[in-house]
C-alpha cells in the first residue's frame, strides 16, 4: 500500500543523482510546522488545529523555565568566534545528497576551497545566516524516568534542530517520512531546557560521538548518524580527570602541580578504573551535526502524560507515527459505514487526518517494542554498552542516541559498565535488555495508558485495550528480544538454529569460560570463525588463544599459542576442550562458515599495522565490515 506516493527510486536514477550545494541543501520540508491538521474528534468540537504546539515565549527563548502545553520552543544557535571543520562524513553526506566542499566545482583552487570550507563550517554552526529551509530552528521538551523514578521536565538542553532535508530518494518519492532526515546541532548553546548550564560541548566528547555514530552505522546497528564535526573556536570549562593530564593516565604524580597524589587517591582511581572527574579543565568547544529520522524519545510522550496534557499527548503520538511508523496513520476510527478509510492515494503533507483511536496507539506501542528489542540485541552483538539508559536517552524509533558514557567491551565482562555514576551496574552490558524492558513498561504505564483511556469510546473498550497493552509489555517485548538475540547468537556461533530453551545453557557455559579466561569479546568470535574448521578440539583451542590475554609485543611469537596452552590451568583447559567437543558446526565449508560468522562480529583494529582487519595479520582495508 502506498502512503504518500512511491517509496523508492530506481537504482539507475540513484547512480546519476544530482548532488546539492550548501545553498540548495535546505529545500526539504519541516514537518514540525507542516505535519498535518488533526480532526480532534475526542473533544466536543470538530475544529482542525495544527498537531504540534510551539512555546509562545519567543522573547525569552533561552530563559530556563517550565514549558506547558507546548511541544517545542523556537531557539537559535548561539554565536561562536571562529568555527572550523574538523571532519565530515562523506557517507552521511551522500545519503543526504549533499555536496561537500572538496566535491564542489573548482575545488582545486586554493582560495575557492578555503572559502567553501569557511562557508560550510559557518553553516553548521549557524552563526550569522541560516540556509533557507533550515532557518526556523527549535528545541523539543521532554521528561525523564530513571528505572521508573520520575525526574520531571528536561528537554534539548544543548541540541537545536535546524529542520529536515530529503534523502537521496526523497524528492522523487514524494513526501514520505522515510525520506526525511532531521539535522540537529549538539553543543550549539543554551535553550529553555539547559537548566542553567552553558549548552556547549567539548571537542573530546564530540569526537567520540562523531566516530561512534558512524562506526555503529557501518556495523549495522540502528543509530543516529553524524554529518559534521566543527570546532567552534570557543573555550568550554568542564570537569575531567586530573590523572589524564600526564602521559600515564594512572600515574600517582600530578605533573601540573608537581605534587604526589596520596596512596588512597591512587587506590581510588585504580579500583576498577571507576572514579568521578576531579578537576575543571578549559577545553576546546565543538558541535556535532547529527542526523536521524527523528529524535523523539520515550520522555517526550511521558512528559505530557505525567502532566495530563492529553491534547498535546495525542498530537505527539500521531506525530511519532508520522515520523517513525507512518503505516500506522492508516489506522483510524471507524466511520459511519463501519469501515476503516484508506490513505493510500494521498501525497504530500496530509491536510486532514481523523483521530486514530486506541487501536493506532496499541499498534504504535507494539512497533516500539520490536524496534527497541532489536536494538538492544544488536548492542549485545557488538559488545556495546550505552552507559546511561534513562527514558530521555531512548528513542521511540529504536536507534542508538546520545553517545555519552558509552563503551565497547573488550575483555568479556557481563557486568562491564563504563558509566562511573551507575555504581550498582543497572545499565551494565548483560543488564541492558532488562533496563530496556523497564523503560518500555514505564512508557506503557504512563503515556500509552493515558492515550488508551483518552481515545476509547467507553470504559469497556478501554479495559480491553489496557489488557492488551499490559500483555505487550509483559510478554511481547521479551518475545521480540529473544527472537532477535537468538538470531545473533546463532550467527555468532555459525549454527543453523539456536533457541534459548534448547541452547541457552551451552551459550551460558561459553560466557562463563570467556569470563574466566578474560577473553577479548570481539577477537574471540572472529577467531571462532576460523576455529570452527579445525580438525580437533585442541587445534580449535590453539586458534582461540589469540583472544586470551597476552602482551602485544608477543603477537608475532609463533610459539605463543603453544606456551599459552601449556601454561593454562588444568581445569580451565579441560572445560574449554569439553565445550569445543560439543560445538556442532553448520554444514558449510571453511570459507563459507567464516563469512557467515564474521558478519555479526565487528572488525578488530590491529595496533601493529594501524588498520582495521578481519583477523590479525590479514589486512582488509580501513572500512568497517557491515553485518
Amino acid at each position: 500500500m502506498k502512503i504518500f506516493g512511491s517509496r523508492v527510486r530506481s537504482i539507475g536514477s540513484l547512480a546519476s543523482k544530482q548532488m546539492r550545494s550548501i545553498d540548495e541543501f535546505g529545500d526539504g520540508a519541516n514537518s514540525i510546522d507542516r505535519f498535518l491538521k488533526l480532526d480532534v474528534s475526542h473533544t466536543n468540537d470538530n475544529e482542525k488545529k495544527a498537531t504540534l504546539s510551539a512555546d509562545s515565549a519567543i522573547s525569552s527563548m533561552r530563559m530556563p523555565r517550565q514549558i506547558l502545553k507546548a511541544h517545542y520552543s523556537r531557539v537559535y544557535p548561539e554565536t561562536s568566534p571562529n568555527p572550523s571543520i574538523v571532519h565530515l562524513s562523506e557517507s552521511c553526506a551522500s545519503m543526504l545528497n549533499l555536496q561537500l566542499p572538496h566535491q564542489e566545482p573548482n575545488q582545486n583552487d586554493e582560495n575557492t576551497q578555503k572559502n567553501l570550507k569557511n562557508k560550510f563550517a559557518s553553516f553548521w554552526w549557524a552563526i550569522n545566516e541560516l540556509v533557507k529551509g533550515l532557518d526556523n530552528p527549535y528545541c523539543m521538551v521532554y521528561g525523564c524516568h530513571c528505572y521508573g523514578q520520575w525526574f520531571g521536565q528536561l528537554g534539548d538542553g544543548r541540541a537545536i534542530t535546524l529542520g529536515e532535508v530529503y534523502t537521496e530518494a526523497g524528492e522523487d518519492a514524494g513526501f514520505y517520512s522515510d525520506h526525511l532526515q532531521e539535522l540537529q546541532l549538539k553543543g550549539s548553546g543554551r535553550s529553555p531546557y539547559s537548566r542553567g548550564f552553558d549548552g556547549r560541548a567539548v571537542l573530546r566528547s564530540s569526537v567520540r560521538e562523531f566516530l561512534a555514530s558512524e562506526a555503529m552505522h557501518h556495523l549495522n546497528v540502528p543509530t543516529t548518524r553524524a554529518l559534521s564535526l566543527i570546532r567552534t573556536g570557543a573555550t568550554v570549562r568542564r570537569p575531567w580527570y586530573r590523572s589524564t593530564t600526564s602521559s600515564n593516565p594512572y600515574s600517582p604524580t600530578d605533573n601540573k602541580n608537581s605534587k604526589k597524589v596520596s596512596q588512597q587517591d591512587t587506590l581510588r582511581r585504580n579500583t576498577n578504573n571507576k572514579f568521578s572527574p576531579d578537576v575543571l579543565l578549559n577545553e576546546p568547544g565543538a558541535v556535532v551535526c547529527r542526523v536521524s529520522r527523528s529524535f523523539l524519545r520515550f520522555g517526550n510522550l511521558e512528559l505530557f502524560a505525567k502532566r495530563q496534557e492529553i491534547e498535546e499527548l495525542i498530537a505527539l503520538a500521531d506525530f511519532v507515527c508520522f515520523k517513525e511508523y507512518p503505516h500506522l496513520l492508516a489506522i483510524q476510527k471507524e466511520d459511519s459505514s463501519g469501515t476503516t478509510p484508506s490513505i493510500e492515494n494521498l501525497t504530500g503533507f496530509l491536510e486532514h487526518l481523523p483521530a486514530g483511536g486506541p487501536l493506532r496507539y496499541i499498534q504504535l506501542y507494539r512497533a516500539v517494542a520490536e524496534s527497541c528489542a532489536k536494538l538492544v540485541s544488536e548492542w549485545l552483538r557488538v559488545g556495546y554498552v550505552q552507559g546511561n539508559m534513562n527514558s530521555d536517552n531512548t528513542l521511540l524509533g529504536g536507534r542508538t542516541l546520545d553517545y555519552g558514557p558509552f563503551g565497547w567491551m573488550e575483555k568479556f565482562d557481563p557486568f562491564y559498565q563504563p558509566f562511573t555514576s551507575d555504581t550498582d551496574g543497572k545499565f551494565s552490558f548483560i543488564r541492558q535488555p532488562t533496563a530496556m524492558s523497564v523503560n518500555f513498561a514505564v512508557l506503557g504505564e504512563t503515556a500509552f495508558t493515558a492515550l488508551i483511556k483518552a481515545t476509547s469510546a467507553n470504559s469497556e473498550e478501554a479495559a480491553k485495550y489496557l489488557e492488551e497493552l499490559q500483555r505487550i509489555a509483559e510478554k511481547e517485548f521479551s518475545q521480540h528480544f529473544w527472537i532477535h538475540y537468538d538470531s545473533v547468537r546463532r550467527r555468532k556461533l555459525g549454527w543453523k538454529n539456536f533457541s534459548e530453551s534448547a541452547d541457552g545453557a551451552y551459550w551460558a557455559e561459553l560466557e562463563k569460560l570467556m569470563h574466566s579466561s578474560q577473553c577479548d569479546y570481539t577477537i574471540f568470535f572472529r577467531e571462532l570463525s576460523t576455529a570452527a574448521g579445525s580438525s580437533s578440539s585442541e587445534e580449535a583451542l590453539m586458534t582461540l588463544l589469540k583472544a586470551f590475554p597476552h602482551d602485544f609485543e608477543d603477537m608475532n611469537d609463533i610459539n605463543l599459542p603453544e606456551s599459552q596452552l601449556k601454561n593454562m590451568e588444568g581445569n580451565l583447559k579441560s572445560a574449554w576442550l569439553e565445550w569445543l567437543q560439543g560445538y556442532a558446526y553448520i554444514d558449510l565449508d571453511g570459507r563459507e562458515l567464516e563469512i557467515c560468522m564474521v558478519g555479526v562480529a565487528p572488525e578488530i583494529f590491529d595496533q601493529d599495522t594501524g588498520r582495521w582487519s578481519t583477523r590479525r595479520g590479514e589486512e582488509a582495508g580501513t572500512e568497517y565490515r557491515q553485518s
Side-chain angles (χ1 to χ4, degrees):
M1 181 184 73
K2 293 192 298 182
I3 303 295
F4 302 122
S6 173
R7 293 187 56 180
V8 297
R9 186 196 289 186
S10 69
I11 297 298
S13 63
L14 284 177
S16 58
K17 65 184 180 181
Q18 182 67 38
M19 301 292 283
R20 292 174 291 184
S21 69
I22 194 70
D23 293 319
E24 303 166 327
F25 187 49
D27 60 357
N30 195 340
S31 57
I32 199 164
D33 294 319
R34 299 172 54 194
F35 166 41
L36 52 83
K37 300 293 182 180
L38 183 70
D39 176 3
V40 285
S41 54
H42 49 275
T43 65
N44 294 326
D45 57 54
N46 291 318
E47 176 189 0
K48 295 179 182 178
K49 68 174 185 177
T51 50
L52 298 187
S53 305
D55 171 23
S56 59
I58 302 297
S59 60
S60 55
M61 66 169 60
R62 303 191 201 283
M63 182 180 298
R65 61 190 186 279
Q66 293 291 302
I67 307 297
L68 303 176
K69 289 189 171 294
H71 299 99
Y72 62 95
S73 301
R74 294 293 181 194
V75 182
Y76 288 88
E78 294 191 85
T79 59
S80 186
N82 186 28
S84 60
I85 297 173
V86 177
H87 200 71
L88 307 172
S89 169
E90 292 193 22
S91 170
C92 188
S94 177
M95 176 190 73
L96 299 174
N97 202 10
L98 171 64
Q99 200 167 44
L100 297 178
H102 68 276
Q103 298 168 331
E104 297 266 8
N106 304 317
Q107 56 92 11
N108 291 324
D109 180 87
E110 185 175 344
N111 290 329
T112 301
Q113 183 69 192
K114 182 177 180 180
N115 291 335
L116 286 170
K117 286 184 176 180
N118 289 338
K119 182 176 184 179
F120 199 90
S122 295
F123 168 68
W124 291 119
W125 185 248
I127 298 179
N128 299 317
E129 184 178 350
L130 293 170
V131 171
K132 184 179 179 181
L134 298 172
D135 51 1
N136 209 5
Y138 59 88
C139 297
M140 296 201 78
V141 62
Y142 50 80
C144 171
H145 276 105
C146 177
Y147 243 79
Q149 182 178 355
W150 179 242
F151 281 86
Q153 175 187 297
L154 297 180
D156 291 327
R158 57 173 179 170
I160 296 177
T161 300
L162 295 176
E164 296 165 325
V165 296
Y166 289 110
T167 63
E168 56 190 9
E171 292 167 276
D172 283 359
F175 182 77
Y176 187 82
S177 55
D178 268 356
H179 306 306
L180 277 178
Q181 295 285 325
E182 291 185 15
L183 306 178
Q184 187 178 84
L185 302 181
K186 182 176 180 179
S188 49
R190 295 167 295 158
S191 78
Y193 317 115
S194 298
R195 295 173 289 156
F197 296 102
D198 60 17
R200 304 289 193 178
V202 298
L203 183 61
R204 163 179 48 79
S205 61
S206 300
V207 167
R208 281 167 48 85
E209 174 146 2
F210 182 93
L211 294 176
S213 300
E214 290 302 280
M216 290 282 271
H217 168 73
H218 288 286
L219 289 169
N220 208 26
V221 179
T223 181
T224 58
R225 300 288 303 275
L227 174 61
S228 62
L229 174 60
I230 306 297
R231 187 166 178 164
T232 66
T235 298
V236 180
R237 195 161 173 79
R238 286 288 183 273
W240 195 234
Y241 297 94
R242 179 184 290 109
S243 56
T244 58
T245 59
S246 70
S247 58
N248 179 358
Y250 303 109
S251 169
T253 303
D254 182 344
N255 290 346
K256 182 177 179 181
N257 299 311
S258 299
K259 294 180 179 178
K260 277 286 186 181
V261 179
S262 70
Q263 187 176 11
Q264 182 179 3
D265 193 38
T266 302
L267 180 62
R268 175 181 63 86
R269 293 178 177 184
N270 291 343
T271 302
N272 297 323
N273 293 338
K274 282 190 177 183
F275 54 96
S276 299
D278 50 7
V279 65
L280 280 172
L281 299 178
N282 291 322
E283 301 192 54
V287 61
V288 172
C289 179
R290 53 189 188 183
V291 180
S292 180
R293 277 181 65 167
S294 86
F295 295 92
L296 295 166
R297 310 160 191 245
F298 282 23
N300 285 95
L301 291 174
E302 291 170 346
L303 178 67
F304 295 106
K306 295 292 286 188
R307 288 175 169 175
Q308 288 296 298
E309 295 176 352
I310 302 302
E311 296 294 326
E312 289 75 17
L313 174 63
I314 293 173
L316 186 60
D318 285 324
F319 189 65
V320 172
C321 292
F322 178 73
K323 292 290 290 183
E324 297 289 356
Y325 309 100
H327 63 283
L328 299 180
L329 294 178
I331 303 175
Q332 303 172 9
K333 283 189 174 180
E334 292 185 340
D335 63 17
S336 57
S337 64
T339 61
T340 300
S342 170
I343 58 173
E344 63 181 66
N345 295 319
L346 294 176
T347 58
F349 284 91
L350 296 178
E351 294 298 327
H352 174 74
L353 176 66
L359 180 57
R360 179 186 295 167
Y361 307 123
I362 283 288
Q363 294 301 99
L364 174 58
Y365 192 57
R366 180 170 278 121
V368 173
E370 182 167 10
S371 296
C372 292
K374 179 181 179 181
L375 173 64
V376 77
S377 73
E378 292 298 311
W379 288 351
L380 300 185
R381 172 174 65 84
V382 298
Y384 174 81
V385 180
Q386 173 73 349
N388 185 353
M389 288 183 64
N390 296 340
S391 68
D392 63 319
N393 294 318
T394 312
L395 287 183
L396 291 157
R399 287 180 294 278
T400 314
L401 171 76
D402 277 347
Y403 291 90
F406 74 93
W408 278 284
M409 179 173 61
E410 295 185 8
K411 180 179 69 175
F412 179 72
D413 177 1
F415 300 105
Y416 170 67
Q417 166 59 295
F419 187 26
T420 58
S421 297
D422 182 19
T423 54
D424 54 355
K426 59 182 175 292
F427 300 140
S428 59
F429 176 75
I430 206 64
R431 290 173 175 166
Q432 290 180 116
T434 301
M436 185 68 81
S437 70
V438 170
N439 281 354
F440 183 70
V442 172
L443 178 68
E445 292 167 4
T446 54
F448 281 88
T449 295
L451 283 166
I452 297 304
K453 289 181 177 179
T455 58
S456 295
N458 50 55
S459 58
E460 290 78 10
E461 183 183 59
K464 178 186 71 173
Y465 283 115
L466 289 174
E467 184 178 344
E468 186 171 0
L469 196 73
Q470 185 175 3
R471 187 177 66 82
I472 295 171
E474 293 180 353
K475 295 184 178 180
E476 290 191 24
F477 177 88
S478 177
Q479 291 169 354
H480 285 306
F481 170 73
W482 287 114
I483 288 171
H484 289 293
Y485 190 44
D486 283 352
S487 175
V488 164
R489 293 185 289 181
R490 174 187 63 78
R491 290 176 289 151
K492 290 183 86 70
L493 292 173
W495 288 3
K496 286 182 177 179
N497 301 290
F498 187 102
S499 69
E500 172 63 21
S501 57
D503 307 303
Y506 189 78
W507 178 269
E509 180 63 21
L510 172 60
E511 290 183 321
K512 178 181 177 182
L513 289 171
M514 287 194 297
H515 187 237
S516 299
S517 302
Q518 301 183 38
C519 291
D520 184 289
Y521 183 74
T522 299
I523 298 176
F524 176 85
F525 285 104
R526 301 295 295 194
E527 295 302 332
L528 185 61
S529 66
T530 301
S534 301
S535 59
S536 67
S537 299
E538 289 78 5
E539 181 183 340
L541 183 55
M542 290 278 284
T543 300
L544 294 177
L545 288 174
K546 296 176 183 177
F548 287 43
H550 54 262
D551 295 328
F552 276 105
E553 53 267 24
D554 295 334
M555 277 297 300
N556 296 321
D557 183 358
I558 61 174
N559 297 316
L560 178 61
E562 288 85 351
S563 61
Q564 285 182 296
L565 191 61
K566 182 179 179 180
N567 295 327
M568 183 180 291
E569 191 268 327
N571 291 337
L572 184 58
K573 178 181 176 180
S574 298
W576 271 113
L577 292 174
E578 182 179 352
W579 186 87
L580 287 166
Q581 286 168 3
Y583 183 51
Y585 315 142
I586 61 176
D587 187 20
L588 296 172
D589 65 38
R591 181 57 182 162
E592 290 176 319
L593 182 61
E594 181 176 355
I595 292 172
C596 172
M597 296 172 69
V598 300
V600 292
E603 301 289 352
I604 55 176
F605 187 74
D606 192 324
Q607 295 192 6
D608 299 326
T609 65
R611 307 276 285 181
W612 289 96
S613 58
T614 55
R615 293 193 306 273
R616 292 198 177 276
E618 180 184 326
E619 190 174 278
T622 58
E623 293 296 323
Y624 290 96
R625 182 189 299 273
Q626 293 201 13
S627 48

